[in-house]
Amino acid sequence: MRDLVRTLLPIRWAEVPKPAYDVVIIGGGGHGLATAYYLATRHGITNVAVLEADYIASGNTGRNTTIIRANYGIPQAVRFYQHSLEMYAALEDETGANLLHETRGILWCAHTEMALRTERARCALNQALGVETVMIGPTEVKRLVPQIDLAGGGRYPILGASHHLGGATARHDRVAWAFASGASRRGVDLLQHTPVMALQLDGDGSRVVGVETPAGPIAAGVVLSATGGRVTRLAAQAGVRLPIRTHPLHAFVTNDHAQGLGPIVASTELMCYASQTERGQMLIGAEFDAQPSYSRQSSFDALRTYAWKMSLMLPFLRDLRILRSWAGICDISIDYSPIMGFTPVDGFLVTTGWGTWGFKAIPAGGEGMAELIATGRPPTLIEPFALDRFRADHVLADQGSSGTR
Ligand SMILES: Cc1cc2nc3c(=O)[nH]c(=O)nc-3n(C[C@H](O)[C@H](O)[C@H](O)COP(=O)(O)OP(=O)(O)OC[C@H]3O[C@@H](n4cnc5c(N)ncnc54)[C@H](O)[C@@H]3O)c2cc1C
């Protein structure tokens, strides 16, 4: 029996902001809160404010499908996400919160020879970097997921899968709450319903020196944008143009179903996935909308497509009812990798490009950004993800690993 009492860690809310902070973090999602937490816990920097336009985790952090994995397709990403996966596994002990963390494994099913080849390459790379991802055939797929239709509805036969054994889930809002609690108890000011309306620049516009809020101006030594899908317009105020577009992503849950789906099941080609929540609901997601938009309106088209695709693989889903659907807006970078670090404008940093895949990165992203802010030097794990990689022609193209599946 899990210790549910441990989930209710207190948060100290700040009523009004101070006139100045060493660090102002814009955005109280997972990345903003984790950065604040690690600034306080790892570096003793607590003169920090997290300014959240709405309530904490109201953005994608509270809307995602909670999948944590490290089965990426380029070495820089595999190392970074594996570190995050390991941090997640230790996060309940570190924060004292019950995060409903569960390692359950993920199957990425392949329906064509080409997809099998891609998954074999993924397994080889993952194993070379110490990540447990192994190729399995249809018989093993069926053993792990007895509910699966290996014929894929007669259209998408399952020829094999890469099995990422470390794949896990954790309850998203509890993760945000744990970081918020840990940061605020150490002196970080958390301000909800405090949108940053503008960035303050010094005389010649070469440095960001603070932010404008409805509660008045706040001076800052460093300003970090952790604003999810809203980053491009904020950065533009400092004259920073980011290679990011904002796209909606949808998800839905069904009514409760008897527990029984073991690993998370995904298709690399249909680009959809399903997992079962602790309550028994089937949680289903797919790829982001092709059309950029800031709309968080759930769409019937997405619902219909996701449901059709997923029920080809797991036909029992057809007997369930859709309970709830929702959408978030995702900051998709042109190379499908995150962007962490300095911008050309002094005092203005970003953690962005988390797209549809950034929940799993929250601990490692927060840890890395905190170290960068504290020391002025990017730690090795996040260094490849700097914004200047685009100028230097060092893009980290990894679209094949980027979905939430
Ligand atoms: C449906 C869906 C499913 C997903 N599934 C997964 C998954 O299974 N696994 C995975 O790893 N990732 C997944 N993701 C992606 C993941 O949720 C995000 O990448 C991650 O939560 C990003 O965290 P963040 O802190 O950068 O942004 P957010 O959580 O979006 O937080 C940004 C915050 O900034 C605030 N903000 C914005 N502008 C301002 C402003 N001007 N002033 C003050 N505050 C501001 C917003 O209100 C928001 O709270 C999914 C996303 C969606 C939408």
Coordinates of all heavy atoms in Angstrom, one line a residue, residues 25-34 50-69 72 81 88 168-169 172 191 193-198 212-213 225-231 234 237 247-252 273 283-286 296 306 326-331 351-362 402-405, ligand 1:
I25 N 12.0 33.3 -12.5 CA 11.6 32.2 -13.5 C 10.2 32.5 -13.9 O 9.3 32.6 -13.1 CB 11.8 30.9 -12.8 CG1 13.2 30.6 -12.4 CG2 11.3 29.8 -13.7 CD1 13.5 29.4 -11.5
I26 N 10.0 32.6 -15.2 CA 8.7 32.8 -15.8 C 8.1 31.5 -16.1 O 8.6 30.8 -17.0 CB 8.7 33.8 -17.0 CG1 9.6 35.0 -16.7 CG2 7.3 34.2 -17.4 CD1 9.8 35.9 -18.0
G27 N 7.0 31.1 -15.5 CA 6.4 29.9 -15.8 C 6.5 28.8 -14.7 O 7.6 28.4 -14.3
G28 N 5.4 28.5 -14.1 CA 5.3 27.5 -13.0 C 4.9 26.2 -13.5 O 4.0 25.5 -12.9
G29 N 5.5 25.7 -14.6 CA 5.3 24.3 -15.0 C 6.5 23.5 -14.4 O 7.2 24.0 -13.5
G30 N 6.6 22.3 -14.8 CA 7.6 21.4 -14.2 C 9.0 22.0 -14.4 O 9.8 21.9 -13.4
H31 N 9.3 22.5 -15.6 CA 10.7 23.0 -15.8 C 11.1 24.2 -14.9 O 12.2 24.3 -14.4 CB 11.0 23.2 -17.3 CG 11.2 21.9 -18.0 ND1 12.4 21.2 -18.0 CD2 10.3 21.1 -18.7 CE1 12.2 20.1 -18.7 NE2 11.0 20.0 -19.1
G32 N 10.1 25.1 -14.8 CA 10.4 26.3 -14.0 C 10.5 25.9 -12.5 O 11.4 26.4 -11.8
L33 N 9.6 25.1 -12.1 CA 9.6 24.7 -10.7 C 10.8 23.8 -10.3 O 11.4 24.0 -9.2 CB 8.3 23.9 -10.3 CG 7.0 24.8 -10.4 CD1 5.8 23.9 -10.3 CD2 7.0 25.8 -9.3
A34 N 11.2 22.9 -11.2 CA 12.4 22.1 -10.9 C 13.6 22.9 -10.9 O 14.5 22.7 -10.1 CB 12.5 21.0 -12.0
V50 N 9.2 32.4 -8.8 CA 8.6 31.7 -9.9 C 7.3 32.4 -10.2 O 6.4 32.4 -9.3 CB 8.4 30.2 -9.7 CG1 7.7 29.5 -10.9 CG2 9.7 29.5 -9.3
L51 N 7.1 33.0 -11.3 CA 5.9 33.8 -11.6 C 5.1 32.9 -12.6 O 5.5 32.6 -13.7 CB 6.3 35.1 -12.3 CG 7.3 36.0 -11.5 CD1 7.6 37.3 -12.3 CD2 6.8 36.3 -10.1
E52 N 3.9 32.6 -12.2 CA 3.0 31.7 -13.0 C 1.8 32.5 -13.3 O 1.1 33.1 -12.5 CB 2.7 30.5 -12.2 CG 1.5 29.7 -12.8 CD 1.7 29.3 -14.3 OE1 2.7 28.8 -14.7 OE2 0.7 29.5 -15.0
A53 N 1.5 32.6 -14.6 CA 0.3 33.4 -15.1 C -1.0 32.8 -14.6 O -1.9 33.6 -14.3 CB 0.3 33.3 -16.6
D54 N -1.1 31.5 -14.4 CA -2.3 30.9 -14.0 C -2.1 30.2 -12.7 O -1.6 30.8 -11.7 CB -2.8 29.9 -15.1 CG -4.2 29.6 -15.1 OD1 -4.8 29.7 -14.0 OD2 -4.8 29.2 -16.1
Y55 N -2.3 28.9 -12.6 CA -1.9 28.2 -11.3 C -0.8 27.2 -11.7 O -0.7 26.9 -12.9 CB -3.1 27.4 -10.7 CG -3.8 26.5 -11.6 CD1 -3.4 25.1 -11.7 CD2 -4.9 26.9 -12.4 CE1 -4.1 24.3 -12.5 CE2 -5.5 26.0 -13.3 CZ -5.1 24.7 -13.3 OH -5.7 23.8 -14.2
I56 N 0.0 26.7 -10.8 CA 1.2 25.9 -11.1 C 0.7 24.6 -11.8 O -0.4 24.0 -11.4 CB 2.1 25.6 -9.9 CG1 1.4 24.9 -8.8 CG2 2.8 26.9 -9.4 CD1 2.3 24.2 -7.8
A57 N 1.4 24.2 -12.8 CA 1.1 23.0 -13.6 C -0.2 23.1 -14.4 O -0.7 22.1 -14.8 CB 1.1 21.7 -12.7
S58 N -0.6 24.4 -14.6 CA -1.8 24.5 -15.4 C -1.5 24.4 -16.9 O -2.4 24.2 -17.7 CB -2.5 25.9 -15.2 OG -1.5 26.9 -15.5
G59 N -0.3 24.4 -17.3 CA 0.2 24.2 -18.7 C 0.3 22.7 -19.0 O -0.4 21.9 -18.4
N60 N 1.3 22.4 -19.8 CA 1.4 21.0 -20.2 C 1.8 20.1 -19.1 O 1.6 18.9 -19.2 CB 2.5 21.0 -21.4 CG 1.9 21.5 -22.6 OD1 0.7 21.8 -22.7 ND2 2.8 21.8 -23.6
T61 N 2.5 20.6 -18.1 CA 2.9 19.7 -17.0 C 1.7 19.0 -16.4 O 1.8 17.9 -16.0 CB 3.7 20.5 -16.0 OG1 4.9 21.0 -16.6 CG2 4.1 19.7 -14.8
G62 N 0.6 19.7 -16.3 CA -0.6 19.1 -15.7 C -1.5 18.5 -16.8 O -2.7 18.1 -16.5
R63 N -1.1 18.4 -18.0 CA -1.9 17.9 -19.1 C -1.3 16.7 -19.8 O -1.9 16.2 -20.8 CB -2.1 19.0 -20.2 CG -2.9 20.2 -19.7 CD -2.7 21.4 -20.6 NE -3.4 22.5 -19.9 CZ -4.6 22.9 -20.2 NH1 -5.3 22.3 -21.1 NH2 -5.2 23.9 -19.5
N64 N -0.1 16.3 -19.4 CA 0.5 15.3 -20.2 C 0.1 13.9 -19.8 O -0.6 13.6 -18.9 CB 2.1 15.5 -20.2 CG 2.6 15.2 -18.8 OD1 2.6 14.1 -18.3 ND2 3.1 16.3 -18.2
T65 N 0.6 12.9 -20.6 CA 0.3 11.5 -20.4 C 1.3 10.7 -19.5 O 1.3 9.5 -19.5 CB 0.0 10.8 -21.7 OG1 1.0 11.2 -22.6 CG2 -1.3 11.3 -22.3
T66 N 2.2 11.5 -18.9 CA 3.1 11.0 -17.8 C 4.1 10.0 -18.2 O 4.6 9.3 -17.3 CB 2.2 10.5 -16.6 OG1 1.8 9.2 -16.8 CG2 1.1 11.4 -16.3
I67 N 4.4 9.9 -19.4 CA 5.4 8.8 -19.8 C 6.8 9.3 -19.7 O 7.2 10.4 -20.1 CB 5.1 8.4 -21.3 CG1 3.8 7.7 -21.3 CG2 6.2 7.4 -21.7 CD1 3.3 7.4 -22.7
I68 N 7.6 8.5 -19.1 CA 9.1 8.8 -18.8 C 9.9 7.7 -19.5 O 9.6 6.5 -19.3 CB 9.3 8.7 -17.3 CG1 8.5 9.8 -16.6 CG2 10.8 8.9 -17.0 CD1 8.4 9.5 -15.1
R69 N 10.8 8.1 -20.3 CA 11.6 7.0 -21.1 C 12.9 7.7 -21.5 O 13.0 8.9 -21.5 CB 10.8 6.5 -22.3 CG 10.4 7.6 -23.2 CD 9.6 7.1 -24.4 NE 9.1 8.2 -25.2 CZ 9.9 8.8 -26.1 NH1 11.1 8.4 -26.3 NH2 9.4 9.8 -26.8
Y72 N 15.9 7.1 -26.8 CA 16.0 8.1 -27.9 C 17.0 7.6 -29.0 O 17.5 6.5 -28.8 CB 16.5 9.5 -27.3 CG 15.3 10.2 -26.8 CD1 14.5 9.8 -25.7 CD2 14.8 11.3 -27.5 CE1 13.4 10.5 -25.3 CE2 13.7 12.0 -27.1 CZ 13.0 11.6 -26.0 OH 11.8 12.3 -25.6
Y81 N 18.2 11.9 -21.2 CA 16.9 11.4 -20.8 C 17.1 10.2 -19.8 O 16.3 10.0 -18.9 CB 16.0 11.0 -21.9 CG 15.5 12.2 -22.7 CD1 15.9 12.6 -23.9 CD2 14.5 13.0 -22.1 CE1 15.5 13.7 -24.6 CE2 14.0 14.1 -22.7 CZ 14.5 14.5 -23.9 OH 14.0 15.6 -24.6
Y88 N 14.1 10.5 -11.8 CA 12.7 10.2 -11.4 C 12.6 9.1 -10.5 O 11.8 9.1 -9.5 CB 11.9 9.9 -12.7 CG 11.1 11.1 -13.2 CD1 11.3 11.6 -14.5 CD2 10.0 11.6 -12.4 CE1 10.5 12.7 -14.9 CE2 9.3 12.7 -12.9 CZ 9.5 13.2 -14.1 OH 8.8 14.3 -14.6
A168 N 8.6 4.3 -17.7 CA 7.9 4.5 -16.5 C 6.8 5.6 -16.6 O 6.7 6.2 -17.6 CB 8.9 4.9 -15.4
T169 N 6.0 5.7 -15.5 CA 5.1 6.8 -15.5 C 5.1 7.4 -14.0 O 5.6 6.7 -13.1 CB 3.6 6.3 -15.7 OG1 3.3 5.2 -14.9 CG2 3.4 6.0 -17.2
H172 N 1.7 13.5 -12.9 CA 2.3 14.8 -13.3 C 2.1 15.9 -12.3 O 3.1 16.7 -12.0 CB 1.8 15.2 -14.7 CG 0.3 15.1 -14.9 ND1 -0.6 15.1 -13.9 CD2 -0.4 15.0 -16.1 CE1 -1.8 15.0 -14.4 NE2 -1.7 14.9 -15.7
L191 N 4.6 32.7 -7.0 CA 3.4 33.6 -7.2 C 2.6 33.1 -8.3 O 3.0 33.0 -9.5 CB 3.9 35.0 -7.5 CG 4.6 35.6 -6.3 CD1 6.0 36.0 -6.6 CD2 3.8 36.8 -5.7
H193 N -1.1 33.3 -10.6 CA -1.9 34.4 -11.2 C -1.1 35.7 -11.3 O -1.5 36.8 -11.1 CB -3.1 34.7 -10.4 CG -3.9 33.4 -10.1 ND1 -4.5 32.7 -11.1 CD2 -4.0 32.6 -9.0 CE1 -5.0 31.5 -10.6 NE2 -4.7 31.5 -9.3
T194 N 0.2 35.5 -11.7 CA 1.1 36.7 -11.9 C 1.7 36.6 -13.3 O 2.9 36.1 -13.4 CB 2.2 36.7 -10.8 OG1 1.5 36.6 -9.5 CG2 3.0 37.9 -10.8
P195 N 1.0 37.0 -14.3 CA 1.6 36.9 -15.7 C 2.7 37.9 -15.9 O 2.6 39.0 -15.5 CB 0.4 37.1 -16.6 CG -0.5 37.9 -15.8 CD -0.4 37.5 -14.4
V196 N 3.7 37.5 -16.6 CA 4.7 38.4 -17.0 C 4.2 39.1 -18.3 O 4.0 38.4 -19.3 CB 6.1 37.8 -17.2 CG1 7.1 38.7 -17.9 CG2 6.7 37.4 -15.8
M197 N 4.0 40.4 -18.3 CA 3.4 41.0 -19.5 C 4.5 41.5 -20.4 O 4.3 41.7 -21.6 CB 2.6 42.2 -19.0 CG 1.5 41.7 -18.0 SD 0.5 43.0 -17.3 CE 1.7 44.1 -16.6
A198 N 5.7 41.9 -19.8 CA 6.8 42.4 -20.6 C 8.1 42.1 -20.0 O 8.2 42.0 -18.7 CB 6.6 43.9 -20.9
E212 N 7.8 42.9 -16.2 CA 6.6 43.7 -15.8 C 5.5 42.7 -15.5 O 5.3 41.8 -16.2 CB 6.2 44.6 -16.9 CG 7.2 45.6 -17.4 CD 7.2 46.9 -16.5 OE1 6.4 47.0 -15.6 OE2 8.1 47.7 -16.7
T213 N 4.8 43.0 -14.3 CA 3.7 42.1 -14.0 C 2.6 43.0 -13.5 O 2.8 44.2 -13.2 CB 4.1 41.2 -12.8 OG1 4.1 41.9 -11.6 CG2 5.4 40.5 -13.0
S225 N 13.0 32.0 -19.0 CA 11.7 31.7 -19.6 C 11.5 30.2 -19.5 O 12.3 29.4 -20.1 CB 11.6 32.2 -21.0 OG 10.4 31.6 -21.6
A226 N 10.5 29.8 -18.8 CA 10.1 28.4 -18.8 C 8.6 28.3 -19.1 O 7.8 27.8 -18.3 CB 10.4 27.7 -17.4
T227 N 8.2 29.0 -20.2 CA 6.8 29.3 -20.5 C 6.1 28.3 -21.4 O 5.1 28.7 -22.0 CB 6.8 30.7 -21.1 OG1 7.7 30.9 -22.1 CG2 7.1 31.8 -20.0
G228 N 6.7 27.2 -21.7 CA 6.0 26.2 -22.5 C 5.7 26.8 -23.9 O 6.6 27.4 -24.5
G229 N 4.5 26.5 -24.4 CA 4.2 26.9 -25.7 C 4.1 28.4 -26.0 O 3.8 28.9 -27.1
R230 N 4.3 29.2 -24.9 CA 4.1 30.7 -25.1 C 5.5 31.4 -25.2 O 5.6 32.6 -25.1 CB 3.5 31.2 -23.8 CG 2.2 30.5 -23.4 CD 1.0 31.4 -23.6 NE -0.2 30.6 -23.3 CZ -1.3 30.6 -24.0 NH1 -1.3 31.2 -25.2 NH2 -2.3 29.9 -23.7
V231 N 6.5 30.6 -25.5 CA 7.9 31.2 -25.4 C 8.2 32.1 -26.5 O 8.9 33.1 -26.3 CB 8.9 30.0 -25.4 CG1 9.0 29.2 -26.7 CG2 10.3 30.5 -25.0
L234 N 7.2 35.8 -25.9 CA 8.0 36.4 -24.8 C 9.4 36.7 -25.2 O 9.9 37.8 -25.0 CB 8.0 35.4 -23.6 CG 8.6 36.0 -22.4 CD1 7.6 36.9 -21.6 CD2 9.2 34.9 -21.5
Q237 N 10.2 39.8 -27.3 CA 10.3 41.1 -26.6 C 11.7 41.4 -26.3 O 12.0 42.6 -26.1 CB 9.5 41.0 -25.3 CG 8.0 40.9 -25.5 CD 7.3 40.9 -24.1 OE1 7.9 41.3 -23.1 NE2 6.1 40.4 -24.1
H247 N 2.3 24.0 -31.3 CA 1.2 23.1 -31.9 C 0.4 22.5 -30.8 O 1.0 22.1 -29.7 CB 1.9 22.0 -32.7 CG 2.6 22.4 -33.9 ND1 2.1 22.2 -35.2 CD2 3.9 22.9 -34.1 CE1 3.0 22.6 -36.1 NE2 4.1 23.0 -35.4
P248 N -0.9 22.3 -31.0 CA -1.7 21.6 -30.0 C -1.4 20.1 -30.0 O -1.1 19.6 -31.0 CB -3.1 21.9 -30.4 CG -3.1 23.0 -31.4 CD -1.7 22.9 -32.0
L249 N -1.6 19.6 -28.8 CA -1.5 18.1 -28.7 C -2.7 17.7 -27.8 O -2.9 18.3 -26.8 CB -0.2 17.7 -28.1 CG 0.0 16.2 -27.7 CD1 0.1 15.4 -29.0 CD2 1.3 16.0 -26.9
H250 N -3.3 16.6 -28.2 CA -4.5 16.1 -27.5 C -4.3 14.8 -26.8 O -3.3 14.1 -27.1 CB -5.7 15.9 -28.5 CG -5.9 17.1 -29.4 ND1 -6.9 18.0 -29.2 CD2 -5.2 17.5 -30.5 CE1 -6.8 18.9 -30.1 NE2 -5.8 18.6 -30.9
A251 N -5.1 14.5 -25.8 CA -5.1 13.2 -25.2 C -6.5 12.9 -24.6 O -7.3 13.9 -24.5 CB -4.1 13.2 -24.0
F252 N -6.8 11.7 -24.3 CA -8.0 11.4 -23.6 C -7.9 10.2 -22.7 O -7.0 9.4 -22.8 CB -9.2 11.2 -24.6 CG -9.1 10.0 -25.5 CD1 -9.6 8.8 -25.1 CD2 -8.6 10.1 -26.8 CE1 -9.6 7.7 -25.9 CE2 -8.5 8.9 -27.6 CZ -9.0 7.7 -27.2
Y273 N -0.3 5.8 -28.7 CA 0.1 5.0 -27.5 C -1.0 4.9 -26.5 O -1.9 5.8 -26.5 CB 1.4 5.6 -26.9 CG 1.2 7.0 -26.4 CD1 0.8 7.3 -25.1 CD2 1.3 8.1 -27.3 CE1 0.7 8.6 -24.7 CE2 1.1 9.4 -26.9 CZ 0.8 9.6 -25.6 OH 0.6 10.9 -25.2
L283 N -5.3 5.6 -20.9 CA -4.8 7.0 -21.2 C -4.2 6.9 -22.6 O -3.3 6.1 -22.8 CB -3.8 7.4 -20.1 CG -3.1 8.7 -20.2 CD1 -4.1 9.8 -20.3 CD2 -2.3 8.9 -19.0
I284 N -4.8 7.7 -23.5 CA -4.4 7.5 -24.9 C -4.0 8.9 -25.5 O -4.6 9.9 -25.3 CB -5.6 6.9 -25.7 CG1 -5.8 5.5 -25.2 CG2 -5.4 7.0 -27.2 CD1 -7.0 4.8 -25.5
G285 N -2.9 8.8 -26.3 CA -2.4 10.0 -26.9 C -1.8 9.7 -28.3 O -1.7 8.5 -28.7
A286 N -1.4 10.7 -29.0 CA -0.8 10.5 -30.3 C 0.0 11.7 -30.7 O 0.6 12.3 -29.8 CB -1.9 10.3 -31.4
R296 N -6.3 25.5 -27.1 CA -6.2 24.3 -26.2 C -7.6 23.6 -26.2 O -8.0 22.9 -25.3 CB -5.9 24.7 -24.8 CG -4.4 25.1 -24.7 CD -3.8 25.0 -23.3 NE -4.5 25.9 -22.4 CZ -3.9 26.3 -21.3 NH1 -2.7 26.0 -20.9 NH2 -4.6 27.1 -20.4
Y306 N -7.3 9.2 -32.9 CA -6.5 8.5 -31.9 C -7.2 7.2 -31.5 O -6.6 6.1 -31.4 CB -6.4 9.3 -30.6 CG -5.6 10.6 -30.7 CD1 -5.2 11.2 -31.9 CD2 -5.2 11.2 -29.5 CE1 -4.5 12.4 -31.9 CE2 -4.4 12.3 -29.5 CZ -4.1 12.9 -30.7 OH -3.4 14.1 -30.7
W326 N -8.6 16.5 -23.6 CA -8.1 17.8 -23.3 C -6.9 18.0 -24.3 O -6.5 17.1 -25.0 CB -7.6 17.9 -21.9 CG -6.4 16.9 -21.6 CD1 -5.1 17.2 -21.7 CD2 -6.6 15.6 -21.1 NE1 -4.4 16.1 -21.3 CE2 -5.3 15.1 -21.0 CE3 -7.7 14.7 -20.8 CZ2 -5.0 13.7 -20.6 CZ3 -7.4 13.4 -20.4 CH2 -6.1 13.0 -20.3
A327 N -6.4 19.2 -24.3 CA -5.2 19.5 -25.2 C -4.3 20.5 -24.5 O -4.7 21.2 -23.5 CB -5.7 20.1 -26.5
G328 N -3.1 20.5 -24.9 CA -2.1 21.4 -24.4 C -1.4 22.0 -25.7 O -1.5 21.5 -26.8
I329 N -0.6 23.1 -25.4 CA 0.1 23.7 -26.6 C 1.6 23.5 -26.4 O 2.1 23.8 -25.3 CB -0.3 25.2 -26.8 CG1 -0.2 26.0 -25.5 CG2 -1.7 25.3 -27.3 CD1 -0.3 27.5 -25.7
C330 N 2.2 23.0 -27.4 CA 3.6 22.5 -27.3 C 4.6 23.3 -28.1 O 4.3 23.7 -29.2 CB 3.6 21.0 -27.8 SG 2.5 19.9 -26.9
D331 N 5.7 23.5 -27.5 CA 6.8 24.3 -28.1 C 7.7 23.3 -28.9 O 8.6 22.8 -28.3 CB 7.6 25.1 -27.0 CG 7.8 24.3 -25.7 OD1 7.1 23.2 -25.6 OD2 8.6 24.7 -24.9
T351 N 14.5 27.7 -21.3 CA 14.4 26.2 -21.3 C 13.1 26.0 -22.1 O 12.0 26.2 -21.6 CB 14.4 25.6 -19.9 OG1 14.3 24.2 -20.0 CG2 13.3 26.2 -18.9
T352 N 13.3 25.5 -23.3 CA 12.1 25.4 -24.2 C 12.3 24.3 -25.2 O 13.3 23.5 -25.1 CB 12.0 26.8 -24.9 OG1 10.8 26.7 -25.7 CG2 13.2 27.1 -25.8
G353 N 11.4 24.2 -26.1 CA 11.5 23.1 -27.1 C 11.2 21.8 -26.5 O 11.6 20.7 -27.0
W354 N 10.4 21.8 -25.4 CA 10.0 20.5 -24.7 C 8.9 19.8 -25.4 O 8.6 18.7 -25.1 CB 9.8 20.8 -23.2 CG 11.0 21.2 -22.5 CD1 11.3 22.4 -21.9 CD2 12.2 20.4 -22.3 NE1 12.5 22.4 -21.4 CE2 13.1 21.2 -21.6 CE3 12.5 19.1 -22.7 CZ2 14.4 20.7 -21.3 CZ3 13.8 18.6 -22.4 CH2 14.7 19.4 -21.7
G355 N 8.3 20.6 -26.3 CA 7.3 19.9 -27.2 C 6.3 19.0 -26.5 O 5.7 19.3 -25.5
T356 N 6.3 17.8 -27.1 CA 5.4 16.8 -26.6 C 6.1 15.7 -25.8 O 5.6 14.7 -25.5 CB 4.7 16.0 -27.8 OG1 5.7 15.3 -28.5 CG2 4.0 17.0 -28.8
W357 N 7.4 16.1 -25.4 CA 8.2 15.0 -24.8 C 8.9 15.5 -23.5 O 9.8 14.9 -23.0 CB 9.3 14.6 -25.8 CG 10.0 15.7 -26.4 CD1 11.1 16.4 -25.9 CD2 9.7 16.4 -27.6 NE1 11.5 17.4 -26.7 CE2 10.7 17.4 -27.8 CE3 8.7 16.2 -28.6 CZ2 10.6 18.3 -28.9 CZ3 8.7 17.1 -29.7 CH2 9.6 18.1 -29.9
G358 N 8.5 16.7 -23.0 CA 9.3 17.3 -21.9 C 9.0 16.9 -20.5 O 9.7 17.3 -19.6
F359 N 7.9 16.2 -20.2 CA 7.6 15.8 -18.9 C 8.8 14.9 -18.3 O 9.2 15.1 -17.2 CB 6.3 15.1 -18.8 CG 6.0 14.5 -17.4 CD1 5.7 15.3 -16.4 CD2 6.0 13.1 -17.2 CE1 5.5 14.8 -15.1 CE2 5.7 12.6 -16.0 CZ 5.5 13.4 -14.9
K360 N 9.2 14.0 -19.1 CA 10.2 13.0 -18.7 C 11.5 13.7 -18.4 O 12.4 13.2 -17.7 CB 10.5 12.0 -19.8 CG 11.0 12.6 -21.1 CD 11.2 11.5 -22.2 CE 9.9 11.0 -22.8 NZ 9.1 12.0 -23.5
A361 N 11.7 15.0 -18.9 CA 12.9 15.7 -18.8 C 13.0 16.7 -17.6 O 14.0 17.3 -17.3 CB 13.2 16.5 -20.0
I362 N 11.9 16.7 -16.8 CA 11.8 17.8 -15.8 C 12.9 17.7 -14.8 O 13.6 18.7 -14.5 CB 10.4 17.8 -15.2 CG1 9.4 18.4 -16.2 CG2 10.3 18.5 -13.8 CD1 7.9 18.2 -15.8
S402 N 10.7 11.6 -30.9 CA 10.2 12.7 -30.2 C 8.8 12.6 -29.7 O 8.4 13.3 -28.8 CB 10.3 13.9 -31.1 OG 9.4 13.7 -32.2
G403 N 8.0 11.7 -30.2 CA 6.6 11.7 -29.8 C 6.5 11.4 -28.4 O 7.4 11.0 -27.7
T404 N 5.3 11.5 -27.8 CA 5.1 11.2 -26.4 C 5.0 9.7 -26.2 O 5.0 9.3 -25.1 CB 3.8 11.9 -25.9 OG1 2.7 11.5 -26.8 CG2 3.9 13.4 -25.9
R405 N 4.8 9.0 -27.3 CA 4.7 7.5 -27.2 C 6.0 6.9 -26.5 O 7.0 7.5 -26.5 CB 4.5 6.9 -28.5 CG 5.6 7.2 -29.5 CD 5.2 6.9 -30.9 NE 6.4 7.0 -31.8 CZ 6.8 8.1 -32.4 NH1 6.1 9.2 -32.2 NH2 7.9 8.2 -33.1
Ligands
LIG1 C1 -1.5 16.0 -24.2 C2 0.0 16.0 -23.8 C3 0.6 14.8 -23.6 C4 2.0 14.8 -23.2 N1 2.5 13.6 -22.9 C5 3.8 13.6 -22.5 C6 4.4 12.4 -22.0 O1 3.7 11.3 -21.9 N2 5.7 12.4 -21.7 C7 6.5 13.5 -21.8 O2 7.7 13.5 -21.5 N3 6.0 14.7 -22.2 C8 4.7 14.8 -22.5 N4 4.1 15.9 -22.9 C9 4.9 17.2 -23.0 C10 5.1 17.8 -21.6 O3 3.9 17.9 -20.9 C11 5.8 19.1 -21.7 O4 6.9 19.1 -22.6 C12 6.2 19.6 -20.4 O5 5.2 19.6 -19.4 C13 6.7 21.1 -20.5 O6 6.9 21.6 -19.2 P1 7.2 23.2 -19.1 O7 7.4 23.5 -17.7 O8 8.2 23.6 -20.1 O9 5.9 23.9 -19.7 P2 4.4 24.0 -19.0 O10 4.1 22.9 -18.1 O11 3.5 24.3 -20.2 O12 4.5 25.3 -18.1 C14 4.7 26.6 -18.7 C15 4.0 27.5 -17.7 O13 4.3 28.9 -18.0 C16 3.2 29.7 -17.8 N5 3.3 30.9 -18.6 C17 3.3 31.1 -19.9 N6 3.5 32.3 -20.2 C18 3.7 33.0 -19.1 C19 3.9 34.4 -18.7 N7 4.0 35.3 -19.7 N8 4.0 34.7 -17.4 C20 3.9 33.8 -16.4 N9 3.7 32.5 -16.7 C21 3.5 32.1 -18.0 C22 2.0 28.8 -18.2 O14 0.8 29.2 -17.6 C23 2.5 27.4 -17.8 O15 2.0 27.1 -16.5 C24 2.7 16.0 -23.2 C25 2.1 17.2 -23.5 C26 0.7 17.2 -23.8 C27 0.0 18.5 -24.1

